[in-house]
Every structure is written in C-alpha cells, then in structure tokens.
Amino acid sequence: MINKLIIISLFFLGAFLTLINIYTHEKHLTTFVYQVNTENTHFKETVKSNQISGTFVAQANYLGGVNVNFNLEESFFNNTLVFTLKEGRDGNIYYTSKHQITSVNFVPYFPIGFPPIKDSKNKKYSYTFEVYKDSLIMSKNDTDLQITSLAAKHQFPKALLLSDNNLTFELIYYKVKYIFLNNNIIVLSYAFLLPIIYVLVRKYLQILDRNLVLPTIVLFVILIDIFLINSIHDLTFYILFLIWFGLFLYNKIDYRINYLTSLICLIILIITRIFNLTIAAEKAGAWAYLFMFTGTILLIIQYRFKIKPSVTMEKMRSKNQDK
Amino acid sequence: MVKKLPYILTLIVLAGIVTVVNLGFKYNFLGEDSGVIYDFPQTLSKVTYYMWDHFAAPGKINVTSTFNFLWLNFIFLLYKIGLNALEIKRILYFVFYASSGVGAYMLVHLLLTIYTKAKENLIGLAAFIGSLIYMFNHFSMELGSIPINPYHISYMVLPWLMYFLITNLQVKNTLQSLLLFALSATLIISSNPSNTLSICLFALFYCLFFYREIKKTNTRPVLFIFLALGLILLLSSYIGLTMFTVENPYGFSGSTSDVIASLDIHSKFTSFYNVFRLAGAADWASYSYNNVFENNPIFKSLGYVMILLVTLTMLSKKYLKIKLFFLLVILVSLFFAKGAHVPLANLYTILFKKFYFFGIYRASYAKFIYFVALSFSFFAGIFVILAKDFISKYKNRFLNYAIFLIPVAILIYNYPFFFGHLPHKDYLTVIPKEYQQASNILKSDATQFKVLSLPMAPRGSGLLLQWEGGKYIGPHPDASFLDQPVLDAYWYIYKGYSGLLPEDSWYGTKFERKINKLLNTSGFLNIKYIILHKDFLDKYHFGTSQIVKMDGRIKSKFLEKELAKNYQVKKIADNKYFNIYQLGDKYLYPKIYIAETIIASSDPIKYIFTNYIDNAPDGKVAVVNPTDVIQTIDVPKKLTFKYIDPTRYKVIIHDATKPFLLVFSETFHEKWLLSVPSVKHFEANGYANGWIIDPKMITNGSKTLEFELIFKSQEYFQKGLTIALSTLILTLTIILLKSVARPIKK
C-alpha cells in the first residue's frame, strides 16, 4: 500500500514539476514565440555598413517582435544596429529602430519589440539588420554579420482574448504546440519517469549483493556528474574509473555488469542528445566507453586467470525470481 | 557462391544507384586532394612515371608516382579503353562503394562461417546486413563527399585484405589466394602511409590473437606468411626501393604546435557521442544533411543503434573470442578517433611531443574510424545470428521477420546516399573551355621555363576559383591546365620576401604592389610566363569555421594594372578567367646556366630579394654560401642542354678549361647527380642545385664536355617497377601453367 502511495505521489510530483517549469517558461501567457528559418538570409557589405536581410511568413496574427541571436565578433561591439521590418519584400517600411550594440545586450537573445500587427497571419515579412561601421575596429572587421537564430514573437491583446473565444482557442493551440517543441520543458518532464525509476531501484535493491553496494554508490555519483555538473574534468573520470575498476576487480564481479552499465549510459546518451544537452551527452558517452572498456579488461582477466565471479548476472536473476 | 550472388548483386546495384543519384551525368567531380589532374591525362602521365615533380615548381621529389602508381595506372587504363574524365569519375565512385560493400560481405561471411558454424542461409543474411553497415555510414558518407582518390583505397580494400589473409591462414592457401592477398596488400600500401601502418598492425593483431586457431589449421601459416611478405616486398619494390633511398620523401610537414593545432581542428566533432555513430568529420556541420542528424530525434536515436547492439551482443557468452577481438579493435580505434576529448584529453598532445611521427595521426577521426566501421559490420552480422537464435525459442513468425527491419533501418538512416546529398556542392563543377585549352597557348614554346601563378594561393595551399559551371576548390590546378611547371607566388612569402606574412596571401595588396620589382628576381627561378587568375573568390566557407574572406579579385585587378605598366611584360592571352603574360628577355635565365658572376652570401635568398629590387641582375649571377665559392672560375663560351624527361637532361658545354659553376633551377636535392664527377654539389640561389665542375676531372684535354644530369631515385623507381612487373608476370605464369597442367594430369 505504502509502495503504491509513493509511486502515485512521485507521479504527481512529476506532474507538478512539469507544470511549474511550463509556467516558468511560459509566464507571459498571452505571447508565444517560434523559430524562424534563417537559411535564406542575404549578406551585403558596403563601405558604411554590414547588412543582413531575410524573409519569413508569420504563423499567426499579432506579430509584435523578434528575438535575434547574432554570431557577433568583438569588432561588432560599440556600433549602431538598425532594424527594419517590411511587409513583403518590396513593401513599405512597417517599423524601424536603432540600437547600440554592446557585449552585454547581445547575449544570448536580443529582443526587438514593435506594435503588434493585427492581421499578420500567413503574410510574408522581410527584415533587415544593418550594423553601421561607427568604430575603427568594425571598419576593418573580417567576418560577415551572421544570424544564428531568429524567433518571431506574437503578442495577443488580453482584453480581446477574454471576449473572443476563437482567439483564445487559437492561442492555446499555439501554446500547446510550442510546449511540445520546447526542449527545456520536455527535459523536465523526466520527472514523470520518477515512479519508474523508483520501481527499478527498489527491485534492484532487493536483489542487490553486498559486493555491489559500493559500485552502486559510485554509479550514483557518476549519474550526478552527468546530469547535475555542467562542466567536464578529466580528473573526475580518472578517479571514479579507478575506484569502479578496483571494486570490480577486488570483489570479483561479473564483467557483463559493466556492459549493462554501459547500456544504461548509452540510453542516457541518446536521451541527452535528443534534448541537446551536449555536456551531459559527452559525459554519458565517455562513461559508456569506460564501462565497455572495464568490462572488456575484466573479461580478459577473468578468462585468462580463470577467476570465478562472486557476483554474476545469473545469480542476480535467480535472486530476482526467488523474491 | 550461388547463395552469395543475390546479396552481392544487391550491393552492386546499390553502389550503382548511389553513384547515379549523387553524381548524375552533368557535372564533373573534382577538387579537394585530387584537384584537376585526373582530367588532364597528359600531365598526369608525367607525374605518374617520374620521381621528380617539376610541375610543382621549383620542383620536388614525387611521392605520388610511387605510392599512387597502381591507382593512377588504373585511371590510365580507363582512359585507354576510351572513357572520358566524366565517366571515369563515376566509375571510381561506383568502384569505391561496390568494392567496400562486397568486400565487407565476403569478410563477414567468412568470419561467421569460421567462428559461428551457423546455417549458410542465415550467415548470408547476417553478412549482408553487416556489409550494409560498412557501405553506408557517416564515414563513407564523408568519403563520398569528395572525389575518389588514393586515400579511399584503405577503406575499400581493407575488408578484401582481411578476407584474403584469413582465407589463406584458416581456410586454404593456394598460389592464387596468396597472390590476391599480396596484391591487395600492395594496393593498401599505395594508399595513405599512416593508414597502411595501422592496417598492418590490425592484421598482425588478428594473427597474434588467433594464433592458436590458426595453428590448428593445416594451411601451413608460417610458410604463407613468409611467402606473402616476400611477394609483397617484390610487388611493391618500386615503392620500397625509392622510399628507402630517400631520407624524408615528404619533407617538412609542420612543427609539433602545427600538429597540435591541426588535431584541435580535427577534434571539433569527435566526442564519443559522435564517434559512436561513426560521425565526427571536421566539416560535419557543413553538410546539408547535418540538420537532420543533429535535430531529428528519430535519426538521433537510430545513430546509436549499432553501439547498443555491440554492447547487447557482449552480454551473451557465445562466440566470445571473435567478439572480444572486434570489441578490442572498437575500443582502441574509438579511443584514438575521439582526438582531444575526455577522457585522457591530453594524451595526443603528450604523444605528439614525445613521438613526432605520431603527428601522421592528427586527423584522428579519419585515421581510426574505419576500423570501427569494419567491426560494427561484423557485430551486425553476429547480432543477427544471436538474435535469430534467441527468436527461435519463441516460435513467433513475426519475430522472425523483425530481422528484416535492420537493413530497412540502415537504408532509411542513410537516406543522404539515395537522395543525392553526398557530394560537396563545390566539387561538382564544369571546367571552363578556356582552361581546358590553356595548354595550347604555350605549346609552341619548346624551351624549358616556369610559369608564375598570380594571385598567390592563400597560404600557398590551393586555389579557390569561381567558374560559370561552379567553383574550383583544391590544390593548384595551373600545372594541369598549362601542362607546364607552375610556381605559385606564395613561394616568395614562404621564403621571406620583403618581410611579408602568410596573412598577406589572404588580404590586402602588399605583395601585389611589389610585383614589378619582384620580377627582377624571376630569372633566378627560370620564370618566363605569368598566369593571372581573374576568377578568384572573395570569400569561402571552409566548413570548419566561419566564412573566410580573401581579397582575390582586388589582388588580381591590382596585378593587372601593375603588369600593364611594365613594358617588359607582354600580354599574350586574355579571357574572362585569366590572362597570360610573357616576360621580356632582360628577366630570363635558362633552366641550366653557367654562372658568370658568383656572389657569396650567408643567406642567398635574402641577398637576392634585397639586392635586385630595382634592377634585374646584370648577366648570369649565382648567389651561394661563402663556403661554396671557388677562386678560379671560368665562363665557358657555350652551354646547350636537352630536356629528355623530368628526371634527365643532356648537357653539352664548349670551351671549358677551368672550374666553373653550373646552376640547375630545380629545388636542391642530393639525388640530382651529374653523370660525370664534380667537385661539389650544393644549394645555389637559396633553393637550386649548383655544381662546381672541373673539366680536368672529366676530359683529357678536350674542351667540350658532354654529360647527363639525372635524378638518381628515378633509377631505383624503374628498377623497382621491373622487379614488381617481373614478379607479377612470373606468378601469373606459374598459376596459368598449374591450372593448365591440372586437367591434363586428371
């Protein structure tokens, strides 16, 4: 009974954490943002400025801003950026604004807002970012101005949302669609895995051999390193690997458990790759390799010296069946 | 063999589809390492059969002719049967994929037959799936993005080499199988030397690891190994004889810090999460399909299926030894392929510092990942056998068919092969007819000369041109276009001209402003013509970094204006891609000349660059090191010489009585020899060959000297070729006689 209660509570904890996360990312309830394709941008350099322009089709009404991320060299700083938005390629200028580029305001997204366009849905807009060569450094810069990402921002008026059900429904549709495309939010929905992890860990602890307690703790530390520490240090690998290897060798544990652990790390690698958690993926990959390596060395040792493992996968399986 | 045939045919058809879909029939496929030389057989033949490459002026020892001899002759053979360059490129592309796939199929089939004893039908299917992995993966995608060149040989011949090795060691050895093994080994040797070394170690590792298994067979392995080594040595003697007589055929290939910097570039994408899926090329981000493999969750997950299967397979205790062998290969190869990534991120740097030769492995991904591909191919096969074994316990029809999902998944995952996404877009191009006919412009001039190419290649590494039918990105193509020795102007910066820096080859017009002054020194280099490119690119995305700018067109416009000011320079050709200029007589020195004035300087190049700024030298001058100056010198009245081939010149000198200095304007090399005794051979003019010749040592009173100037390594090369050809003919004759004699005996 208690067990079931824990599982249900963990499920609700997952749901709660996910909702909190959605709220944190989506606290501006009346806006939604999506990425715009920037592959069709054109670069132009003149004596006075560096210019980059492109077009996009608005996916909804009330287009009210863009968030832009430039690949900026230091030489671009302390210059003036002019943003221009037109309807269509040759239409009239809808909005233009001037901004000073500093190293502070361009990391990571530079937001540019303008009065929302009521009927923007399915219309083509062309944008231009022009950096004027004010400073001496800029005048002899040797790289092109490049946009690494551009997001369109739609702002629905609150009053209108309350009165127009169709508009409210449209906004909800976009928000839900966005939530499923937002990696940050999906990552936190890992929390839903908590009940499954609990069941697996419980099962594991039931069949846990005392020789496996320390390796389990080491594995736990490795998992913490993968998921929670956002930097990579060679030394961490050396220390944890030596402890792990020593424990397996000393306790004569079946080499195949390393391949199992490697499999776990590979699955973690796939998940972290899907969610673009590069550092975690790099660490998961390195650990998958190291476990494979340990397993292979132990395999050679156990076969070469005819060592009979004290802990084997077969033993653990029969223990599981007994329970 | 009959059971193998459908699978082999399928692989061949797939290779054909990949070739047609990716290359089409409109554009030529050129650039990268192979440049345009495969499209100009006339120039190619001079590079193939001679040990001195005079085209890369001022000349260098020709490693290509020895290492790539077999490959280049295969191309000649295709030309001989009437194919054109466009068709040949397609054949090479097809051969690459077909040979890789079929080779992997034969190898995996053989391994599974020896080590698993499973049913033949199942082995056939398992080997087919394995061969698909070897044929279609991220590394073979990368290899298919560039024109096929000798570097590809390692990948396509490796499975064949191992197949013939194992057949000879563990199945049967006949003279035919011995010859096939030796031929595949010779082919491997003709590819990249670092790959050859790794493949040798791989083959040796197999022999040692399965020593007991090999010993049990009745194939006389020791005799085979000795015979094979002997045969390989004889068949590759044109490489061995020439290479071992030259100290360092590659010359200086960069300092340790250069090698470390290069490793950093090559390691950009080689973390485990990439190399596990066989990806990790330095320009990985520039491929059109990169977006799918980096962002689509299904493709992201599918990429790791193979490494998952390897790990899963290791959980089973069946066929442990062969699995362990390939797992060890994977572990070692992955460890080196990951380059400068954790764990042991500094290992390479330490190795480079301790062992300089290890620098040959700086392109870590390309140098090791193909072993992982081969091992994955084996593991795919063994997985199918184990899975079938496992499935058979459940007697479920659907599970049986699940195996067929694997080849389907492989083909879906590797979709770029079947949608024409493989070739790098800048390597599919059309050579303008102006360049194709450029050699006709200088054809009428029978003298020996060099052509100066302007503007210089950025850092001297190759040209980046914009043509109507596409771009050209690759090594210097002018020697092929003109069929004449071409000196890239970067040589001057490399030699320290006027304190200019490598950056000046990219930007600005510092060098170009000095062009007319620089021409005063052109005699020392035997330059008679200038080719000026007007089709230079202004910027280019190299794939590894941001878009790089260069002032190609600014430089060429500037040069055009400057050269127009010089009345000693005459424009003889002008089209939208290039101009050709002829230099006036005041600049000219013949390729071989007798110095009228000898100047001693501890730094001859610096002397030339600083003392001949405003005027060309008066008469024929040679600048030499003070230790090489002779006191009594004479200037014989007349010198004539005849070019025989790039490694041989006939020289006749009249009225020679006292010692004199002979200068030969090709890069100094100790293997350039006179057929008569000389007092001394040394470097003249800071790069060329100089000899002090004393007529008394040669003739007894006659004033006319007649001798040859030869590049000695050519002799070794020719001797090696004779040995290799004789060995091949002899072995083939024995095989033929044996096969004829057998039915008669019966």
Side-chain angles (χ1 to χ4, degrees):
Chain A
M1 185 62 190
I2 294 170
N3 202 22
K4 275 181 188 168
L5 264 175
I6 294 172
I7 292 171
I8 292 165
S9 316
L10 283 172
F11 177 79
F12 280 110
L13 177 69
F16 177 72
L17 287 172
T18 309
L19 282 173
I20 291 275
N21 194 30
I22 290 172
Y23 178 73
T24 330
H25 283 88
E26 294 290 291
K27 56 187 166 200
H28 301 293
L29 288 171
T30 58
T31 63
F32 93 96
V33 183
Y34 58 87
Q35 290 295 320
V36 167
N37 183 7
T38 53
E39 280 174 15
N40 59 356
T41 51
H42 300 283
F43 175 77
K44 195 174 148 191
E45 185 175 2
T46 62
V47 184
K48 285 182 180 175
S49 68
N50 277 1
Q51 193 186 80
I52 192 156
S53 56
T55 56
F56 70 95
V57 177
Q59 289 180 16
N61 289 324
Y62 297 102
L63 176 66
V66 289
N67 291 345
V68 63
N69 193 2
F70 294 111
N71 195 352
L72 281 184
E73 294 285 304
E74 206 179 319
S75 58
F76 284 88
F77 297 141
N78 304 319
N79 291 290
T80 313
L81 169 82
V82 175
F83 167 73
T84 314
L85 186 80
K86 287 181 193 171
E87 189 182 323
R89 193 173 280 279
D90 306 311
N92 294 329
I93 294 175
Y94 173 75
Y95 179 78
T96 185
S97 58
K98 270 187 184 179
H99 311 268
Q100 188 69 18
I101 310 174
T102 66
S103 55
V104 179
N105 67 5
F106 270 85
V107 179
Y109 274 95
F110 185 69
I112 297 171
F114 45 82
I117 307 166
K118 194 179 165 186
D119 54 348
S120 58
K121 191 172 179 178
N122 295 332
K123 280 187 181 165
K124 196 174 184 177
Y125 291 92
S126 58
Y127 58 87
T128 308
F129 294 97
E130 192 166 9
V131 180
Y132 283 87
K133 296 175 177 177
D134 302 337
S135 75
L136 278 174
I137 308 171
M138 178 69 190
S139 61
K140 53 180 181 182
N141 79 311
D142 53 12
T143 52
D144 292 350
L145 179 67
Q146 287 175 329
I147 293 178
T148 51
S149 66
L150 182 73
K153 195 162 70 181
H154 292 256
Q155 285 179 317
F156 288 76
K158 279 176 195 164
L160 209 64
L161 280 169
L162 291 171
S163 57
D164 189 339
N165 286 342
N166 285 343
L167 197 65
T168 315
F169 179 75
E170 196 182 335
L171 178 66
I172 291 169
Y173 165 73
Y174 284 126
K175 292 291 265 186
V176 171
K177 193 175 158 188
Y178 173 66
I179 284 165
F180 282 103
L181 291 173
N182 186 330
N183 282 335
N184 290 327
I185 291 168
I186 295 173
V187 169
L188 212 107
S189 54
Y190 278 154
F192 283 109
L193 295 174
L194 284 174
I196 303 164
I197 293 167
Y198 170 77
V199 172
L200 287 175
V201 170
R202 200 166 166 273
K203 199 91 184 157
Y204 178 69
L205 288 174
Q206 280 174 357
I207 59 166
L208 181 64
D209 190 289
R210 85 187 147 82
N211 284 336
L212 280 175
V213 173
L214 283 174
T216 307
I217 294 167
V218 177
L219 183 64
F220 190 67
V221 175
I222 290 169
L223 290 176
I224 288 173
D225 177 48
I226 291 174
F227 283 108
L228 300 181
I229 298 170
N230 205 23
S231 58
I232 303 175
H233 301 286
D234 236 359
L235 198 65
T236 322
F237 288 99
Y238 304 153
I239 295 168
L240 292 173
F241 167 72
L242 285 175
I243 297 171
W244 176 270
F245 186 76
L247 287 170
F248 267 70
L249 200 63
Y250 182 76
N251 292 324
K252 295 175 188 167
I253 304 167
D254 191 348
Y255 69 90
R256 285 177 299 166
I257 291 173
N258 283 280
Y259 293 125
L260 264 184
T261 335
S262 180
L263 267 178
I264 294 169
C265 286
L266 284 172
I267 291 163
I268 293 171
L269 164 68
I270 294 170
I271 295 167
T272 48
R273 283 289 295 142
I274 288 173
F275 298 121
N276 293 326
L277 301 169
T278 314
I279 293 176
E282 172 134 25
K283 285 199 265 190
W287 277 113
Y289 174 85
L290 285 174
F291 288 133
M292 225 185 284
F293 175 76
T294 318
T296 309
I297 299 297
L298 288 168
L299 187 160
I300 295 168
I301 293 172
Q302 286 173 9
Y303 272 84
R304 181 75 184 80
F305 300 103
K306 296 191 173 72
I307 297 169
K308 212 176 167 192
S310 61
V311 185
T312 63
M313 280 172 63
E314 285 76 16
K315 257 189 200 174
M316 288 167 78
R317 208 178 295 147
S318 61
K319 212 170 168 184
N320 182 29
Q321 280 160 4
D322 294 345
K323 294 270 171 190
Chain B
M1 190 64 200
V2 179
K3 286 185 178 174
K4 288 178 185 169
L5 206 59
Y7 292 118
I8 291 174
L9 283 177
T10 312
L11 293 169
I12 289 172
V13 169
L14 284 172
I17 293 170
V18 169
T19 307
V20 172
V21 166
N22 284 286
L23 296 192
F25 296 101
K26 192 179 171 190
Y27 292 101
N28 209 330
F29 194 35
L30 49 91
E32 234 273 339
D33 277 356
S34 26
V36 293
I37 198 159
Y38 293 172
D39 295 66
F40 294 86
Q42 203 183 334
T43 315
L44 184 65
S45 69
K46 288 172 200 159
V47 174
T48 307
Y49 297 114
Y50 298 101
M51 278 300 296
W52 186 256
D53 181 4
H54 69 311
F55 285 112
K60 61 174 181 145
I61 186 161
N62 189 5
V63 183
T64 318
S65 60
T66 45
F67 272 103
N68 304 345
F69 187 77
L70 287 179
W71 177 256
L72 297 177
N73 275 283
F74 175 58
I75 292 170
F76 286 135
L77 184 74
L78 296 175
Y79 271 115
K80 278 274 175 222
I81 59 171
L83 298 176
N84 62 35
L86 202 85
E87 292 155 349
I88 289 172
K89 299 288 172 65
R90 270 114 197 110
I91 289 191
L92 297 182
Y93 209 74
F94 167 78
V95 167
F96 170 67
Y97 283 107
S99 166
S100 311
V102 178
Y105 176 81
M106 298 299 284
L107 175 65
V108 177
H109 195 286
L110 179 67
L111 287 169
L112 296 178
T113 309
I114 295 173
Y115 292 100
T116 68
K117 313 270 187 259
K119 284 179 188 166
E120 205 186 337
N121 281 346
L122 181 59
I123 288 180
L125 176 67
F128 175 67
I129 292 171
S131 61
L132 286 181
I133 293 279
Y134 192 72
M135 199 171 169
F136 304 119
N137 58 60
H138 283 301
F139 184 57
S140 59
M141 248 181 236
E142 154 86 3
L143 289 174
S145 70
I146 56 172
I148 309 299
N149 63 54
Y151 183 82
H152 291 70
I153 295 175
S154 315
Y155 193 79
M156 62 175 155
V157 181
L158 170 65
W160 287 107
L161 178 95
M162 290 308 291
Y163 171 75
F164 291 126
L165 175 73
I166 297 166
T167 305
N168 277 293
L169 286 176
Q170 288 172 271
V171 183
K172 58 168 183 181
N173 56 31
T174 59
L175 197 54
Q176 284 101 313
S177 61
L178 174 71
L179 180 66
L180 285 169
F181 170 70
L183 280 175
S184 56
T186 312
L187 258 175
I188 292 264
I189 294 170
S190 65
S191 73
N192 184 287
S194 57
N195 288 354
T196 306
L197 184 64
S198 326
I199 290 171
C200 286
L201 290 173
F202 176 60
L204 180 69
F205 180 47
Y206 181 88
C207 296
L208 295 174
F209 198 85
F210 293 105
Y211 171 72
R212 280 183 197 163
E213 285 77 0
I214 293 167
K215 230 172 95 180
K216 277 181 202 164
T217 57
N218 52 2
T219 52
R220 291 167 298 167
V222 179
L223 181 68
F224 160 73
I225 288 171
F226 277 109
L227 282 175
L229 285 177
L231 202 53
I232 293 165
L233 276 177
L234 289 170
L235 285 174
S236 62
S237 48
Y238 62 94
I239 299 175
L241 275 181
T242 43
M243 287 300 119
F244 290 118
T245 52
V246 179
E247 203 175 298
N248 176 12
Y250 293 99
F252 179 67
S253 54
S255 64
T256 306
S257 58
D258 291 338
V259 171
I260 292 168
S262 172
L263 172 76
D264 285 339
I265 293 171
H266 284 105
S267 296
K268 195 173 178 186
F269 296 107
T270 55
S271 63
F272 275 119
Y273 66 69
N274 272 331
V275 289
F276 274 159
R277 53 178 176 162
L278 302 179
D283 51 355
W284 165 244
S286 69
Y287 297 125
S288 58
Y289 44 77
N290 171 275
N291 199 29
V292 174
F293 291 109
E294 283 299 298
N295 295 317
N296 186 305
I298 296 167
F299 278 81
K300 267 185 183 178
S301 314
L302 272 177
Y304 300 101
V305 168
M306 257 330 291
I307 190 76
L308 280 169
L309 292 190
V310 170
T311 323
L312 264 177
T313 310
M314 286 312 292
L315 290 174
S316 155
K317 285 189 173 176
K318 270 189 166 180
Y319 320 126
L320 207 54
K321 192 160 184 185
I322 183 73
K323 284 193 303 186
L324 179 62
F325 170 77
F326 278 105
L327 184 63
L328 282 170
V329 172
I330 289 176
L331 288 170
V332 173
S333 310
L334 279 180
F335 184 75
F336 285 110
K338 75 167 176 58
H341 286 267
V342 287
L344 283 173
N346 291 330
L347 179 78
Y348 261 99
T349 314
I350 296 164
L351 285 173
F352 287 155
K353 281 179 184 166
K354 296 267 178 203
F355 312 101
Y356 178 74
F357 85 94
F358 203 75
I360 58 173
Y361 291 107
R362 60 189 175 273
S364 60
Y365 166 74
K367 300 289 177 189
F368 293 100
I369 206 73
Y370 57 95
F371 290 116
V372 187
L374 190 72
S375 308
F376 275 8
S377 152
F378 165 78
F379 268 105
I382 204 101
F383 176 80
V384 170
I385 287 175
L386 287 170
K388 199 80 180 171
D389 201 22
F390 182 76
I391 288 166
S392 62
K393 289 175 194 163
Y394 292 91
K395 290 182 182 166
N396 185 324
R397 232 161 26 105
F398 294 106
L399 276 176
N400 272 319
Y401 292 120
I403 295 288
F404 292 98
L405 287 175
I406 303 175
V408 175
I410 295 169
L411 296 179
I412 290 174
Y413 181 74
N414 291 291
Y415 82 95
F417 283 92
F418 306 102
F419 286 87
H421 296 333
L422 253 54
H424 191 298
K425 64 181 188 315
D426 295 335
Y427 300 147
L428 283 173
T429 189
V430 178
I431 303 175
K433 69 173 190 315
E434 286 84 350
Y435 278 122
Q436 288 187 33
Q437 294 160 3
S439 63
N440 294 334
I441 302 167
L442 305 179
K443 216 174 196 173
S444 56
D445 190 339
T447 60
Q448 287 293 304
F449 56 83
K450 296 184 182 74
V451 180
L452 177 68
S453 177
L454 295 169
M456 69 182 71
R459 279 189 182 264
S461 53
L463 290 194
L464 304 106
L465 307 174
Q466 179 66 60
W467 297 335
E468 243 171 38
K471 290 187 177 69
Y472 172 75
I473 313 294
H476 219 296
D478 289 348
S480 304
F481 293 151
L482 300 169
D483 196 28
Q484 294 292 346
V486 172
L487 176 81
D488 183 80
Y490 186 78
W491 185 86
Y492 285 91
I493 289 193
Y494 178 69
K495 289 284 184 181
Y497 183 74
S498 193
L500 295 173
L501 299 170
E503 290 75 43
D504 296 316
S505 63
W506 295 91
Y507 321 109
T509 53
K510 278 187 193 168
F511 174 85
E512 288 70 20
R513 283 170 201 276
K514 301 174 197 286
I515 187 67
N516 284 322
K517 289 184 175 178
L518 179 137
L519 289 179
N520 288 324
T521 65
S522 62
F524 290 106
L525 279 145
N526 172 232
I527 293 167
K528 191 173 182 182
Y529 295 94
I530 293 173
I531 179 168
L532 174 70
H533 287 278
K534 296 190 276 188
D535 47 357
F536 244 77
L537 282 171
D538 285 328
K539 62 173 106 171
Y540 188 66
H541 187 251
F542 284 97
T544 50
S545 60
Q546 285 185 319
I547 293 166
V548 178
K549 285 187 187 179
M550 58 202 96
D551 291 332
R553 282 181 208 204
I554 296 170
K555 281 172 182 285
S556 97
K557 276 180 189 162
F558 200 90
L559 284 164
E560 206 174 353
K561 276 184 197 165
E562 287 294 307
L563 290 172
K565 290 178 198 166
N566 190 337
Y567 69 94
Q568 287 278 358
V569 176
K570 188 176 139 199
K571 194 196 284 181
I572 57 167
D574 187 347
N575 59 55
K576 61 181 169 181
Y577 294 109
F578 60 88
N579 291 350
I580 291 184
Y581 301 87
Q582 186 173 358
L583 301 188
D585 289 344
K586 86 159 189 172
Y587 294 122
L588 287 181
Y589 275 16
K591 188 168 197 170
I592 303 171
Y593 69 92
I594 292 165
E596 292 164 3
T597 313
I598 301 173
I599 295 167
S601 168
S602 56
D603 189 346
I605 275 282
K606 196 176 174 188
Y607 183 91
I608 290 169
F609 288 163
T610 48
N611 286 276
Y612 300 107
I613 294 172
D614 297 321
N615 288 303
D618 196 13
K620 294 188 181 73
V621 175
V623 186
V624 298
N625 208 288
T627 53
D628 301 323
V629 175
I630 49 168
Q631 297 301 325
T632 329
I633 81 149
D634 184 29
V635 184
K637 294 217 171 60
K638 199 179 166 195
L639 178 148
T640 53
F641 70 90
K642 194 182 165 198
Y643 164 85
I644 300 166
D645 63 50
T647 61
R648 191 176 289 265
Y649 296 79
K650 191 171 184 179
V651 185
I652 302 169
I653 297 166
H654 302 278
D655 293 334
T657 50
K658 289 178 186 171
F660 59 90
L661 170 60
L662 183 84
V663 179
F664 173 51
S665 301
E666 288 282 319
T667 306
F668 175 80
H669 198 287
E670 59 190 8
K671 294 289 174 195
W672 275 112
L673 302 173
L674 302 180
S675 61
V676 290
S678 65
V679 178
K680 209 173 183 186
H681 178 205
F682 53 86
E683 193 178 73
N685 298 336
Y687 80 96
N689 292 274
W691 285 273
I692 293 169
I693 298 172
D694 186 352
K696 283 175 196 160
M697 288 170 71
I698 305 167
T699 60
N700 296 321
S702 167
K703 288 183 179 179
T704 303
L705 308 178
E706 207 173 317
F707 55 87
E708 278 193 346
L709 209 167
I710 48 169
F711 189 63
K712 188 72 181 167
S713 299
Q714 180 69 15
E715 267 182 32
Y716 300 126
F717 178 57
Q718 281 167 344
K719 279 177 190 164
L721 267 182
T722 315
I723 295 169
L725 265 174
S726 318
T727 311
L728 185 66
I729 292 167
L730 188 72
T731 323
L732 285 174
T733 313
I734 296 170
I735 291 170
L736 196 76
L737 287 175
K738 270 188 143 187
S739 60
V740 173
R742 205 173 295 138
I744 297 169
K745 258 188 185 178
K746 279 181 185 174

